[in-house]
Amino acid sequence: MQKLQIIVLFQNLREADPYYAENPAPPLPGILLAGMTPPIVEVEVLHEMVRPIDYDTDAAFIALSFMDYLAPHAYDVARRFRALGKIVVAGGKFASTFPEEVQPHFDSILVGEAQGVWPGMVEDMVAGRLRPRYDAEATPSLENIPPPRYDLVESTYAVPIVTEASRGCPHPCTYCQLNIKRLPYRTRPIEDVVRDLTSTGGLPWRKRKMAMILDNNLGGDLQNAKALLRALEPLKFWAIGTQFSIECLRDDEFVDLLARARCRMAFIGMESLNEESLAGVRKRQNRVEEYRELFAKLHDRGILTFAGLMLALEGDTMSYYATLPERLAEIDVSAILPSISIPLYGTPWYAQAEAEGRILDYDLSHYEGDHLVFRHPKLAEEEIYAAYRFVTGKFYAWSNIFRRWWKFVLRQSKQESLPEFLLKLLVTTFVYFEISWFQKHHASHRIERPLPRAAAPSRTVAAEPAFRTAASA
């Protein structure tokens, strides 16, 4: 039987000097695709986040999964494998949004969502009749998607169980990739999500007790989210992590159901404490004056808050950054995911910045949140990098990490049996320090001055990405 190797790329600009991330959970796409693969090939999944690509693999077929900023790296990986005689295919959000840019670098691409298309594509690969391009329906059904292959996740990951309950988001944030080509918000059948979370054969017992639901916004349909949480409560996980937009926390029933389902970490797209910056990217669901109260709702129920924080939004100033560490302490967020704002190609924000002549860097590999790629209307480049180092350095100082943890512990009251209460404290402590160490490690290893910028291309070319990549330079 021939082998298919699914590679989830990560080492942007770093393959020769890899940075292995301390992330507790794997991304979903690779193991989800493996679950959809018909049993006519042997399947292996390789996450470049935790181990290097093996170009000496005996796999006949290579499938690459990558985010937009990883496209240059993907093209180079594909070129190397194709030179070795491998059949290399690709898919995902970037390939689906800009197929004409991606297709020349691969033997075949899948445009759109993989369910319903990928099994036939694999059959064609094996039979030697692979077509250059496979197109999915615009909004295919989310019913009966096979469970991810958790047995193929590297042992490095502490939390191998990841799945999704929905796709999309109802909000129009102008920086978000989901708003390049909007699809309707859709939910999966609740019984399918429960099946995913219990399809854990082959995993050690301890790794069956924690899970991540990696939706863009679990609360996009709040009634469905509540029904799901009720279905998850009997599973008695030690900890579940999920993601939703902040307005969901105004619903006390939703918050109570999170706690009853043993949610122990919630990722929230806070992004800024600057009202002008939030309004500038149409993040209207966020109200800065509510942050402290809404985060406290979660903390009082034993749920850690992990919030996105974007620097270099258009309304940001140095005076805002000067007080930001203190304001983060005031709202009492457990952990932050800091990044430098990116006007992704195709988004409304990119169109605005491009029309104003403020895009300075067209190298797609720099669009990962670690480089500044546009001219800010109020801040110099070095001011933004200095602000990043200042804010993350303060927030993730060990003294502050321990202070936040102890403050969280003191908020907990015993609403359950003593063993369950002690388990809650133990698990939230584990999750808190895993997240804090990962973010501290990333901040110290990844943020740097940009590499030399790509020359600005002709502005008459608007139909396709105007980016320079390593493969096309």
Side-chain angles (χ1 to χ4, degrees):
M1 183 181 292
Q2 293 177 297
K3 179 188 285 188
L4 164 70
Q5 186 178 70
I6 300 169
I7 303 176
V8 183
L9 296 177
F10 178 78
Q11 296 297 342
N12 180 46
L13 302 172
R14 297 293 293 266
E15 189 175 14
D17 178 26
Y19 157 68
Y20 294 117
E22 303 287 336
N23 201 0
L28 178 60
I31 56 175
L32 183 60
L33 198 65
M36 299 177 191
T37 303
I40 58 174
V41 289
E42 177 187 350
V43 183
E44 178 188 2
V45 177
L46 186 153
H47 291 101
E48 200 187 17
M49 179 181 286
V50 296
R51 60 182 174 127
I53 295 172
D54 177 13
Y55 289 97
D56 294 325
T57 178
D58 59 351
F61 311 113
I62 305 295
L64 298 185
S65 171
F66 55 94
M67 297 180 70
D68 44 13
Y69 68 89
L70 286 162
H73 178 42
Y75 302 158
D76 183 61
V77 172
R79 178 187 57 77
R80 294 178 65 178
F81 271 122
R82 294 175 80 184
L84 295 170
K86 312 292 186 181
I87 301 297
V88 186
V89 301
K93 191 72 174 178
F94 187 74
S96 300
T97 307
F98 305 113
E100 287 75 20
E101 154 71 15
V102 174
Q103 187 168 353
H105 303 281
F106 297 91
D107 293 291
S108 181
I109 62 169
L110 195 163
V111 178
E113 297 180 2
Q115 69 272 17
V117 177
W118 175 248
M121 190 172 177
V122 174
E123 290 171 358
D124 286 354
M125 273 196 290
V126 172
R129 55 173 183 262
L130 188 67
R131 303 196 305 271
R133 174 170 166 170
Y134 291 75
D135 287 86
E137 299 175 22
T139 54
S141 170
L142 299 184
E143 295 182 1
N144 300 313
I145 297 175
R149 288 285 304 274
Y150 303 125
D151 58 310
L152 299 180
V153 175
E154 291 91 343
S155 61
T156 307
Y157 290 107
V159 185
I161 303 175
V162 294
T163 190
E164 61 184 351
S166 65
R167 291 184 183 173
C169 179
H171 296 302
C173 307
T174 61
Y175 59 82
C176 184
Q177 188 186 55
L178 295 176
N179 290 319
I180 298 175
K181 291 183 179 179
R182 285 189 64 85
L183 293 175
Y185 183 84
R186 294 169 294 153
T187 59
R188 295 180 62 207
I190 289 173
E191 59 271 21
D192 286 4
V193 181
V194 171
R195 179 214 59 205
D196 286 2
L197 295 172
T198 54
S199 297
T200 56
L203 291 180
W205 176 75
R206 71 184 186 282
K207 290 193 173 184
R208 302 179 190 182
K209 304 303 289 181
M210 293 189 285
M212 292 288 296
I213 301 175
L214 299 177
D215 293 32
N216 293 113
N217 188 350
L218 180 70
D221 179 338
L222 207 53
Q223 296 309 309
N224 182 79
K226 292 178 183 180
L228 173 65
L229 293 170
R230 293 187 188 99
L232 297 185
E233 182 181 355
L235 301 184
K236 296 187 180 299
F237 276 97
W238 289 349
I240 290 175
T242 189
Q243 174 175 327
F244 47 81
S245 50
I246 199 165
E247 81 282 358
C248 299
L249 296 177
R250 297 173 194 143
D251 188 309
D252 289 339
E253 183 186 23
F254 173 72
V255 180
D256 286 336
L257 288 169
L258 285 170
R260 286 167 51 185
R262 295 174 181 81
C263 177
R264 297 295 178 231
M265 186 279 291
F267 184 86
I268 299 163
M270 177 181 71
E271 313 310 357
S272 182
L273 282 75
N274 184 330
E275 294 281 9
E276 180 184 346
S277 287
L278 290 170
V281 292
R282 298 184 67 190
K283 203 166 185 69
R284 297 165 181 161
Q285 67 272 23
N286 287 29
R287 301 171 190 165
V288 175
E289 70 274 11
E290 291 184 328
Y291 287 173
R292 181 181 176 86
E293 175 190 354
L294 296 181
F295 292 166
K297 284 186 179 184
L298 293 174
H299 296 167
D300 288 343
R301 293 164 174 82
I303 303 171
L304 297 160
T305 48
F306 183 24
L309 181 67
M310 298 173 69
L311 303 182
L313 288 173
E314 303 274 36
D316 288 4
T317 62
M318 288 306 292
S319 60
Y320 163 66
Y321 294 146
T323 61
L324 188 51
E326 288 75 20
R327 295 182 67 189
L328 290 169
E330 288 170 5
I331 65 173
D332 196 26
V333 63
S334 306
I336 57 171
L337 173 60
S339 65
I340 294 174
S341 305
I342 318 162
L344 293 174
Y345 181 84
T347 60
W349 188 18
Y350 180 94
Q352 175 189 341
E354 172 71 1
E356 295 168 355
R358 293 193 294 118
I359 300 296
L360 303 176
D361 188 340
Y362 289 85
D363 188 331
L364 187 54
S365 64
H366 293 170
Y367 280 62
E368 83 288 60
D370 295 343
H371 291 78
L372 184 67
V373 299
F374 70 105
R375 187 173 67 253
H376 194 276
K378 300 176 181 178
L379 298 169
E381 181 179 61
E382 185 49 49
E383 287 179 314
I384 292 169
Y385 284 101
Y388 184 100
R389 291 189 289 266
F390 170 69
V391 173
T392 57
K394 288 278 190 180
F395 190 89
Y396 283 116
W398 281 114
S399 59
N400 287 328
I401 289 174
F402 280 103
R403 179 191 57 78
R404 286 191 298 273
W405 167 73
W406 184 240
K407 190 174 181 180
F408 177 85
V409 169
L410 291 178
R411 294 188 75 111
Q412 305 313 303
S413 59
K414 189 172 75 66
Q415 305 295 329
E416 55 279 282
S417 68
L418 181 60
E420 288 180 332
F421 177 69
L422 293 175
L423 178 62
K424 178 174 71 174
L425 292 181
L426 179 65
V427 169
T428 51
T429 295
F430 168 78
V431 172
Y432 174 76
F433 281 101
E434 278 281 303
I435 293 171
S436 297
W437 169 246
F438 171 62
Q439 293 304 323
K440 182 179 178 68
H441 185 259
H442 178 94
S444 63
H445 283 74
R446 294 288 293 180
I447 295 296
E448 58 191 49
R449 294 284 301 190
L451 298 178
R453 293 193 182 97
S458 169
R459 303 199 186 279
T460 61
V461 181
E464 290 297 321
F467 295 114
R468 177 180 66 82
T469 68
S472 60

